[in-house]
């Protein structure tokens, strides 16, 4: 499947920019012609090797019609697609239940957001081109064993020696670090800075440099998507410093605000379709719609919340389109979504009864609707812990939105 | 979802303005401590501003501003815990708009819109024991009719021949009708028991009423009222958390408390989005409007009750006192939860509608 050469298709969505109906039809047509109907089965019980090949294949397919980097400006070889068209693209992808470019999230969102705002022209040229033309995979090296929610406590040390920084330390929770070509790395350059976050710098780390060791971490789902990265006297050339020395903390904020709600939007759209499929499957299974009143009402409540969060996401995307800062709304959505996802996947696992308790072969890259309901639930901690735990988000909302004292 | 239109924002501003003087803390307190069945000056003010006719078509003497405008009114009334028995009048008008004949529309709607004829509407239920004989003689009673203490006109459910439910339009000031006010736990609203003895009902006064649609419409207004009340009590609570000090710090600095406030905030933001969206579905007569309405009643009233329940707890001892207004919000939201159907029944209605919309789309 993934070794096939690209089938030439008559669909070219980028030829219809400006005509949203024709664009939608072209995206849908292209997806139907391109996404293998059995891709989920093929990735169930598959090896990491097979999954990597599949992700690369999917990226190439997207690239062949200019949809790998639709949101990048034209000056960097993107499609410069208006947000409204990106929304349509995501809606159609969710409708057909196509694959996510999961391994490319940092490559497509976090790295470019960081470099567009803070990178030198040479850095932009080298690394944006690398993703666009060669599908280079990036990971993120922010968290450490001693610096999770308190990221500014990070201790990985970078010391300037001539033309290089010598880096020592350990990073953790880096998704797909084992496949990554490069890493967005935060390290401490000034341990004497009066405030912890003032002594941090931002680097581009070549994952193939001497002294870099990557070890996968197996998660509660059984899958190993995360990695630890050990840095032992790794030399990073000074031209790989992003922005000024010790300005890393501010730059990291642009990384974290990278995806303007589009990722959550994609997940919420996928849940919308999953909810309908789940409803149909459960109805068929029981002969009539969800007999148990408690579970039925809980299901309906989750639908209300899904409706609400989709409305909020659309509101955030609209704000982004008008250039308004939607950082605080993004925090509300992150917390709302994380809890909804956990509650919904937990409900589905409970509704499936003993059936969902069987050990199932790992399903790679199928998001939160893999068909393994318990695993989907376990996977939901990825949203309640990563990218700001629910507790960190609550503190942020209470202090920054409600104005409660620190 | 789009932001509130300029017209609606202006309406909200105007209503909030009036309520900030006519239904401020002192005015609400004064009403509660009085023996009056309603705040006549607030009613007169509302009538003058056309509040009772916001959703009544212009041809029938209303302002014809639609459901969205009505929702703004109810949200603001809830936020102020305003003692204004408007729900009954609005529901009666809705029933007449859909089921009244030309003479009834002309005879009643302009006066309802102008606030000259406070009215009520009720649905069949355990509290309803009215019988309509085959000779159209109405007898029996119905209790806990919300807003009935001050009403002059009523549309009431009765059991017709063979037990079929019918709805009778009647004047409450007639000799064979008795209205016995019933105080409610919610101090801002009153109900009444209406007893009817052998009253002849003209066949034209038996209205065709879609009971399910009316339950839904009432549910929509009650969700807006509950959302406004929850917002109101939440704002009070957050303010209190900033000023109340214990252990030498504002209690809002304690993580266990601030995290609860954050949860309430996101729940209210979600509820507001759901309500605004549902209003849009109404305005566009979308087929999903009905089940979204049931979803609003169930979900928003549930969220509101959670917020109001915790508001008392977050206030501590002062929130437990009669003197503090926390309980006014809590009791009002509690009543909203129970009126015209419980959270569970509205979730069930919403589920059926959702299932239907799935099969429609399939």
């Amino acid at each position: 499947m993934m070794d096939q050469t690209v089938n030439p298709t008559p669909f070219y969505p980028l030829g219809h920019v400006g005509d949203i109906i024709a664009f939608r039809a072209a995206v849908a047509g292209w997806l139907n012609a391109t996404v293998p109907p059995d891709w989920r089965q093929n990735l169930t019980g598959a090896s990491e090797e097979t999954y990597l090949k599949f992700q690369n294949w999917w990226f190439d397919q997207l690239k062949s019609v200019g949809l790998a980097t639709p949101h990048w400006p034209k000056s960097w070889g993107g499609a410069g697609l208006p947000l409204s068209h990106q929304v349509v693209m995501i809606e159609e992808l969710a409708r057909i239940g196509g694959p996510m470019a999961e391994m490319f999230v940092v490559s497509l969102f976090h790295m470019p957001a960081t470099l567009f705002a803070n990178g030198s022209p040479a850095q932009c040229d080298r690394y944006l081109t690398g993703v666009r033309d060669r599908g280079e995979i990036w990971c993120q090296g922010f968290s450490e064993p001693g610096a999770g929610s308190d990221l500014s406590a990070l201790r990985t040390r970078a010391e300037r020696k001539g033309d290089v920084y010598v880096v020592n330390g350990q990073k953790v929770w880096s998704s797909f670090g084992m496949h990554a070509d490069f890493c967005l790395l935060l390290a401490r350059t000034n341990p004497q800075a009066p405030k912890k976050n003032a002594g941090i710098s931002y680097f581009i780390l070549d994952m193939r440099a001497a002294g870099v060791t990557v070890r996968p971490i197996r998660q509660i789902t059984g899958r190993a998507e995360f990695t630890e990265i050990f840095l032992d006297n790794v030399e990073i050339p000074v031209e790989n410093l992003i922005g000024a020395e010790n300005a890393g903390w501010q730059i990291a904020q642009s990384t974290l605000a990278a995806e303007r709600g589009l990722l959550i939007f994609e997940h919420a759209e996928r849940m919308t379709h999953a909810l309908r499929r789940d409803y149909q499957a459960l109805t068929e299974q029981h002969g009539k719609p969800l007999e148990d009143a408690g579970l039925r009402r809980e299901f309906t409540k989750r639908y209300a919340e899904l409706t609400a969060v989709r409305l909020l996401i659309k509101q955030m995307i609209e704000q982004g389109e008008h250039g308004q800062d939607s950082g605080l709304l993004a925090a509300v959505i992150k917390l709302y979504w994380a809890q909804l996802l956990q509650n919904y996947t937990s409900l589905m696992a409970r509704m499936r009864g003993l059936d969902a308790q069987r050990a199932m072969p790992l399903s790679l890259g199928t998001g939160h609707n893999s068909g393994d309901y318990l695993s989907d639930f376990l996977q939901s901690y990825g949203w309640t812990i990563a990218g700001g735990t629910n507790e960190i988000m609550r503190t942020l909302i209470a202090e920054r939105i409600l104005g409660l004292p620190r | 979802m789009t932001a509130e239109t300029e017209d609606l924002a202006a309406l909200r501003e105007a209503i909030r303005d009036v309520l900030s003087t006519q239904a401020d803390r002192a005015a609400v307190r004064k009403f509660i401590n009085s023996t009056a069945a309603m705040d006549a000056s607030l009613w007169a003010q509302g009538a003058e501003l056309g509040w009772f006719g916001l959703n009544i078509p212009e041809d029938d003497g209303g302002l014809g501003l639609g459901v969205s405008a009505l929702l703004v009114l109810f949200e603001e009334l809830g936020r102020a815990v305003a003692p204004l028995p408007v729900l009954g009048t609005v529901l009666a008008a809705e029933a007449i708009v859909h089921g009244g004949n030309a003479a009834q529309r002309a005879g009643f709607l302009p006066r309802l819109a102008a606030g000259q004829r406070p009215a009520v509407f009720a649905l069949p239920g355990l509290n309803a024991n009215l019988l309509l004989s085959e000779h159209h003689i109405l007898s029996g009673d119905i209790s806990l009719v919300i807003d009935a203490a001050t009403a002059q006109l009523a549309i009431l459910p009765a059991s017709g021949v063979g037990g079929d439910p019918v709805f009778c339009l009647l004047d409450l000031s007639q000799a064979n009708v008795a209205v016995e006010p019933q105080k409610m736990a919610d101090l801002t609203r009153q109900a009444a028991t209406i007893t009817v003895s052998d009253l002849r009902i003209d066949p034209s006064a038996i209205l065709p009423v879609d009971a399910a649609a009316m339950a839904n419409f009432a549910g929509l207004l009650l969700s807006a009222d509950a959302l406004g009340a929850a917002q109101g009590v939440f704002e009070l609570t957050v303010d209190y958390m900033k000023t109340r000090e214990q252990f030498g710090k504002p209690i809002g600095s304690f993580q266990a408390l601030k995290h609860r406030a954050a949860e309430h905030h996101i729940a209210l933001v979600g509820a507001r989005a759901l309500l605004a969206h549902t209003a849009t579905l109404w305005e566009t007569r979308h087929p999903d409007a009905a089940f979204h309405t049931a979803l609003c009643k169930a979900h928003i009233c549930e969220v509101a009750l959670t917020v109001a329940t915790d508001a008392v707890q977050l206030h501590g001892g002062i929130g437990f006192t009669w003197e503090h207004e926390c309980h006014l919000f809590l009791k009002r939201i509690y009543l909203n939860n129970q009126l015209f159907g419980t959270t569970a029944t509205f979730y069930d209605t919403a589920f059926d509608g959702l299932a239907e919309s799935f099969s429609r789309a399939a």
Side-chain angles (χ1 to χ4, degrees):
Chain A
M1 160 193 66
M2 45 286 274
D3 296 321
Q4 287 167 2
T5 47
V6 178
N7 279 329
T9 74
F11 302 104
Y12 187 61
L14 291 184
H16 301 282
V17 173
D19 179 348
I20 201 96
I21 293 170
F23 179 79
R24 186 186 290 279
V27 170
W30 179 77
L31 286 169
N32 273 316
T34 310
V35 176
D38 54 355
W39 73 272
R40 284 167 189 272
Q41 287 100 295
N42 293 339
L43 291 176
T44 302
S47 68
E48 191 65 29
E49 192 66 29
T50 307
Y51 181 47
L52 174 62
K53 271 165 87 181
F54 179 74
Q55 280 283 308
N56 284 324
W57 173 83
W58 177 235
F59 186 88
D60 285 344
Q61 302 307 300
L62 289 164
K63 197 174 82 178
S64 71
V65 285
L67 294 181
T69 52
H71 54 299
W72 290 16
K74 285 189 174 156
S75 53
W76 290 111
L81 208 56
L83 219 44
S84 56
H85 288 60
Q86 294 175 54
V87 163
V88 164
M89 220 183 109
I90 290 170
E91 283 171 351
E92 291 308 312
L93 192 56
R95 189 188 311 280
I96 191 176
M100 286 180 282
E102 200 181 40
M103 282 187 195
F104 295 90
V105 169
V106 178
S107 299
L108 292 176
F109 291 102
H110 301 82
M111 182 276 283
T114 309
L115 289 191
F116 287 152
N118 306 284
S120 68
Q123 286 168 342
C124 289
D125 193 36
R126 162 65 189 82
Y127 297 105
L128 295 169
T129 307
V131 168
R132 195 191 61 214
D133 293 349
R134 296 186 294 279
E136 286 171 351
I137 296 175
W138 284 68
C139 68
Q140 189 173 293
F142 280 21
S143 298
E144 295 181 6
S149 290
D150 183 9
L151 183 60
S152 70
L154 63 88
R155 296 202 328 228
T156 292
R157 184 79 170 92
E159 285 172 280
R160 174 86 186 251
K161 290 199 175 140
D163 288 343
V164 297
Y165 286 91
V166 178
V167 184
N168 283 286
Q170 181 187 350
K171 292 291 170 179
V172 73
W173 314 132
S174 302
S175 295
F176 304 112
M178 67 294 249
H179 304 309
D181 301 294
F182 297 97
C183 173
L184 295 172
L185 181 78
L186 290 181
R188 189 165 300 283
T189 34
N190 179 9
Q192 271 78 50
K195 284 187 75 182
K196 278 189 299 184
N197 58 18
I200 295 170
S201 298
Y202 204 133
F203 298 97
I204 295 166
L205 167 70
D206 183 339
M207 293 295 282
R208 290 182 185 83
V212 178
T213 310
V214 180
R215 207 154 65 191
I217 302 173
R218 200 166 180 204
Q219 298 135 233
I220 55 177
T221 53
R223 189 181 167 192
E225 170 193 330
F226 295 140
T227 55
E228 292 175 288
I229 302 173
F230 298 90
L231 303 162
D232 181 15
N233 285 319
V234 177
E235 294 189 353
I236 298 181
V238 288
E239 63 262 29
N240 281 9
L241 174 72
I242 302 177
E245 197 176 88
N246 297 323
W249 187 256
Q250 284 72 32
I251 298 172
Q253 306 312 309
S254 63
T255 308
L256 296 171
E259 40 86 12
R260 287 192 303 177
L262 287 177
L263 280 181
I264 286 193
F265 177 66
E266 178 167 353
H267 282 285
E269 290 310 294
R270 284 173 185 274
M271 187 194 274
T272 304
H273 293 284
L275 182 139
R276 178 183 303 221
R277 286 195 303 271
D278 288 334
Y279 164 80
Q280 272 150 2
L282 287 163
T283 303
E284 279 163 27
Q285 184 185 328
H286 298 295
K288 53 179 151 178
L290 314 186
E291 241 172 311
D292 182 286
L295 293 176
R296 186 175 65 226
R297 287 168 195 156
E298 197 179 331
F299 178 83
T300 314
K301 183 178 168 64
R302 299 285 95 89
Y303 180 81
E305 290 167 347
L306 177 59
T307 306
V309 80
R310 289 174 74 203
L311 293 163
L312 296 177
I313 294 166
K314 286 237 164 101
Q315 202 175 311
M316 170 163 69
I317 290 175
E318 269 171 34
Q319 286 180 2
E321 218 165 7
H322 295 104
Q324 293 159 317
D325 174 32
S326 53
L328 293 177
L329 181 56
V332 168
I333 290 170
K334 161 77 164 66
L335 178 59
Y336 200 108
W337 166 253
Q339 296 187 101
L340 166 59
L341 178 68
Q342 190 147 81
N343 289 334
Y344 182 76
T345 51
S346 151
L347 173 67
M348 283 301 122
R350 283 176 285 128
M351 276 182 154
R352 302 281 168 162
L354 201 51
D355 226 27
Q357 299 297 315
R358 276 185 294 203
M360 303 263 278
L362 287 183
S363 181
L364 301 175
T366 48
H368 298 280
N369 31 75
S370 66
D372 179 349
Y373 293 92
L374 190 70
S375 178
D376 289 347
F377 160 67
L378 295 171
Q379 187 71 27
S380 72
Y381 286 102
W383 277 95
T384 60
I385 297 172
T389 62
N390 283 0
E391 290 70 23
I392 288 290
M393 300 318 284
R394 287 186 194 113
T395 298
L396 188 147
I397 288 165
E399 291 174 1
R400 303 266 303 277
I401 299 180
L402 300 176
L404 289 171
R406 293 172 64 88
Chain B
M1 196 185 81
T2 48
E4 194 161 273
T5 64
E6 268 177 46
D7 288 351
L8 288 179
L11 177 69
R12 185 184 296 280
E13 200 54 46
I15 294 170
R16 195 174 282 198
D17 214 41
V18 171
L19 293 176
S20 69
T21 55
Q22 301 273 317
D24 62 354
R25 197 177 295 196
V28 172
R29 180 69 55 187
K30 190 174 153 213
F31 168 77
I32 287 166
N33 292 332
S34 75
T35 52
M38 79 164 161
D39 180 339
S41 81
L42 182 59
W43 182 277
Q45 179 82 69
E48 196 185 315
L49 295 170
W51 290 357
F52 309 111
L54 287 175
N55 187 40
I56 295 177
E58 280 180 281
D59 287 349
D60 294 310
L63 295 178
L65 295 178
V67 167
S68 299
L70 204 51
L71 293 180
V72 167
L73 173 67
F74 274 81
E75 202 184 323
E76 290 305 316
L77 291 172
R79 188 170 172 274
V81 279
L84 187 69
V86 58
L87 178 68
T89 298
V90 168
L91 292 180
E94 178 78 3
I96 293 171
V97 164
H98 290 288
N101 60 30
Q104 286 159 341
R105 289 179 73 120
F108 293 113
L109 292 176
R111 299 179 65 197
L112 289 175
Q116 292 162 351
R117 208 83 207 271
V120 287
F121 173 87
L123 283 173
L126 293 174
N127 56 330
N129 303 296
L130 288 165
L131 287 172
L132 185 69
S133 76
E134 59 179 316
H135 306 296
H136 288 175
I137 304 298
L138 184 67
S139 296
D141 60 53
I142 178 167
S143 62
L144 297 173
V145 179
I146 197 71
D147 293 346
T150 49
Q152 299 171 13
L153 186 74
I155 299 169
L156 300 176
S159 198
V161 178
D164 293 338
V166 292
F167 287 85
C168 305
L169 175 68
L170 59 145
D171 189 325
L172 295 176
S173 58
Q174 306 173 74
N176 347 17
V177 180
V179 177
E180 182 67 35
Q182 169 69 57
K183 285 205 181 279
M184 302 300 286
D186 172 13
L187 299 163
T188 63
R189 286 176 294 184
Q190 288 194 20
T193 296
I194 299 171
T195 308
V196 183
S197 350
D198 298 333
L199 178 69
R200 202 190 123 68
I201 301 290
D202 189 86
S204 71
I206 299 171
L207 299 190
V209 168
D210 180 342
M214 285 301 295
N216 240 5
F217 184 68
L220 188 63
L221 305 179
L222 291 164
S223 338
D225 191 279
L227 178 63
Q231 190 66 43
V233 77
F234 182 60
E235 284 166 16
L236 277 182
T237 306
V238 170
D239 284 347
Y240 184 72
M241 291 169 74
K242 289 176 187 172
T243 50
R244 167 71 176 170
E245 292 196 1
Q246 286 291 278
F247 306 102
K249 292 182 209 164
I251 60 168
S253 66
F254 300 128
Q255 202 170 63
L257 306 191
K258 72 166 62 155
H259 281 193
R260 271 151 60 188
E263 280 302 316
H264 299 327
H265 174 74
I266 70 166
L268 289 172
V269 169
R272 181 173 305 283
L274 188 62
L275 186 67
H277 176 61
T278 304
T280 311
L281 295 178
W282 272 78
E283 302 291 359
T284 57
R285 299 177 192 284
H286 194 281
D288 288 346
F291 94 79
H292 276 82
T293 304
L295 212 53
C296 281
K297 170 67 161 80
H299 183 65
I300 296 175
C301 284
E302 194 176 41
V303 163
L305 188 57
T306 304
V307 172
T309 301
D310 202 31
V312 173
Q313 180 70 22
L314 286 166
H315 273 86
I318 194 74
F320 191 49
T321 64
W322 187 264
E323 186 194 347
H324 197 276
E325 56 259 75
C326 263
H327 68 116
L328 304 182
F329 290 93
L330 177 60
K331 291 167 180 174
R332 183 160 173 138
I333 289 169
Y334 236 117
L335 178 57
N336 286 348
N337 270 41
Q338 302 306 316
L339 278 172
F340 293 93
T342 62
T343 296
T345 58
F346 275 100
Y347 268 133
D348 288 346
T349 306
F351 177 82
D352 293 343
L354 176 62
E356 232 179 84
S357 102
F358 282 162
S359 55
R360 214 173 29 241

